[in-house]
Amino acid sequence: MKEYRRTNMVYNDAMAVAKRTSGPDVRRSVTLPPDVARKVRAIAKQRRLSDNRILVELIEQGIETRQRKEQEFFDLAERFRAASDPEQVKHLGDKLGRFVFGE
């Protein structure tokens, strides 16, 4: 005879999804390349979440990363404009160039 185990789900505030700030969800349809879809599915399976929840998290992380990178660029540009030492100007200019055009 098979033994069944019972699991009680306990909810706490740490499990809460980010609070909504601008009304109801917006439904979008996206087409993913097969390798990306496989990776999303693997992450979802590993974390025991839906593919959709993983996609939302990945998009949110991507947006945050992009905003952080833009802020770093503006901070660097401000430091470059404020610099007066020629050596520091050259160093920051090189850094800005790598930031814009890659390494």
Side-chain angles (χ1 to χ4, degrees):
M1 184 169 174
K2 235 180 188 179
E3 182 181 323
Y4 292 98
R5 293 184 181 203
R6 196 169 146 199
T7 302
N8 291 331
M9 184 67 169
V10 178
Y11 177 85
N12 63 29
D13 289 339
M15 297 170 66
V17 177
K19 294 191 188 323
R20 298 174 193 214
T21 57
S22 60
D25 291 342
V26 177
R27 187 167 181 81
R28 298 279 185 209
S29 176
V30 296
T31 302
L32 301 174
D35 58 325
V36 173
R38 264 192 303 279
K39 290 175 185 176
V40 168
R41 201 171 303 118
I43 294 169
K45 186 175 181 180
Q46 178 187 26
R47 294 188 49 205
R48 295 182 179 165
L49 296 171
S50 69
D51 290 8
N52 193 57
R53 182 69 224 153
I54 295 301
L55 286 171
V56 170
E57 286 183 10
L58 290 171
I59 291 167
E60 288 172 343
Q61 289 171 359
I63 290 170
E64 290 170 8
T65 300
R66 185 178 186 135
Q67 288 172 338
R68 195 169 36 253
K69 190 171 181 177
E70 285 177 7
Q71 187 59 48
E72 288 174 17
F73 173 78
F74 289 126
D75 292 345
L76 182 59
E78 184 59 36
R79 287 177 40 212
F80 177 74
R81 282 195 314 226
S84 56
D85 176 36
E87 189 63 34
Q88 188 180 20
V89 169
K90 181 180 179 347
H91 174 72
L92 292 172
D94 290 345
K95 212 169 174 180
L96 263 175
R98 282 193 303 275
F99 202 97
V100 172
F101 299 111
E103 297 187 47

